[in-house]
């Protein structure tokens, strides 16, 4: 599967670009296919400018009520430990996959994203 569209925004941050690609490649095939088949799924670099804010274009909710599945990652993940960066990236992808909802019996969205990321092999570092 080609993830070029999702890694292109990180061209100026090659370490982070590789980390995003590593996580994407380790996701289960059904998750990869879900992301690749949904035009609302995107991965972007945080472009916050103090005093100005952010500038992102996010798709409006669709007919089914689902909104954007845009994952925004900060460039400082390139400087974090690899394990921590992979965990954060997987956690954010889990939110996108779960459409910011629960997972199974887990209704808290943060706990659900953590549990799903862990099931993918990305445990929260101690």
């Amino acid at each position: 599967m080609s993830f070029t569209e999702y890694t292109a925004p990180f061209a100026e941050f090659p370490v982070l670009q590789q980390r995003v690609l590593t996580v994407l490649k380790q996701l289960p095939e059904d998750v990869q296919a879900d992301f690749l088949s949904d035009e609302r799924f995107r991965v972007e670099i945080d472009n916050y400018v103090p005093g100005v804010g952010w500038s992102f274009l996010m798709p409006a909710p669709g007919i089914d009520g689902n909104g954007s599945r845009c994952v925004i990652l900060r460039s400082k993940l390139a400087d974090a430990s690899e394990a921590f960066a992979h965990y954060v990236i997987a956690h954010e992808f889990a939110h996108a996959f779960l459409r910011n909802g629960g997972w199974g019996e887990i209704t808290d969205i943060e706990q659900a994203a953590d549990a799903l990321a862990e099931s993918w092999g990305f445990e929260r570092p101690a």
Side-chain angles (χ1 to χ4, degrees), residues 16 19 23 77-78 80-90 125:
L16 181 53
R19 290 175 173 185
V23 173
L77 286 172
S81 74
E82 185 175 81
F84 179 76
H86 285 169
Y87 155 74
V88 170
I89 295 164

Side-chain angles (χ1 to χ4, degrees), residues 14-35:
V15 171
L16 181 53
Q17 186 177 48
Q18 183 57 51
R19 290 175 173 185
V20 170
L21 183 60
T22 296
V23 173
L24 283 167
K25 286 182 172 183
Q26 289 184 28
L27 298 178
E29 285 187 26
D30 64 315
V31 176
Q32 293 176 5
D34 177 62
F35 288 162

Side-chain angles (χ1 to χ4, degrees), residues 10-116:
F10 304 96
E12 293 180 39
F13 306 95
V15 171
L16 181 53
Q17 186 177 48
Q18 183 57 51
R19 290 175 173 185
V20 170
L21 183 60
T22 296
V23 173
L24 283 167
K25 286 182 172 183
Q26 289 184 28
L27 298 178
E29 285 187 26
D30 64 315
V31 176
Q32 293 176 5
D34 177 62
F35 288 162
L36 289 167
S37 67
D38 188 347
E39 64 187 30
R40 292 175 290 185
F41 177 75
R42 296 188 1 224
V43 185
E44 300 287 344
I45 188 79
D46 183 2
N47 67 1
Y48 178 76
V49 175
V52 177
W54 290 272
S55 62
F56 294 107
L57 296 175
M58 294 199 182
I63 296 170
D64 57 4
N66 285 326
S68 172
R69 296 172 77 192
C70 188
V71 172
I72 308 296
L73 299 173
R74 294 188 174 170
S75 61
K76 67 183 181 179
L77 286 172
D79 300 323
S81 74
E82 185 175 81
F84 179 76
H86 285 169
Y87 155 74
V88 170
I89 295 164
H91 174 94
E92 295 305 323
F93 286 165
H95 277 302
F97 184 70
L98 296 170
R99 292 166 174 80
N100 287 311
W103 185 52
E105 299 291 319
I106 305 170
T107 57
D108 179 273
I109 63 172
E110 293 302 325
Q111 290 177 3
D114 272 352
L116 184 55

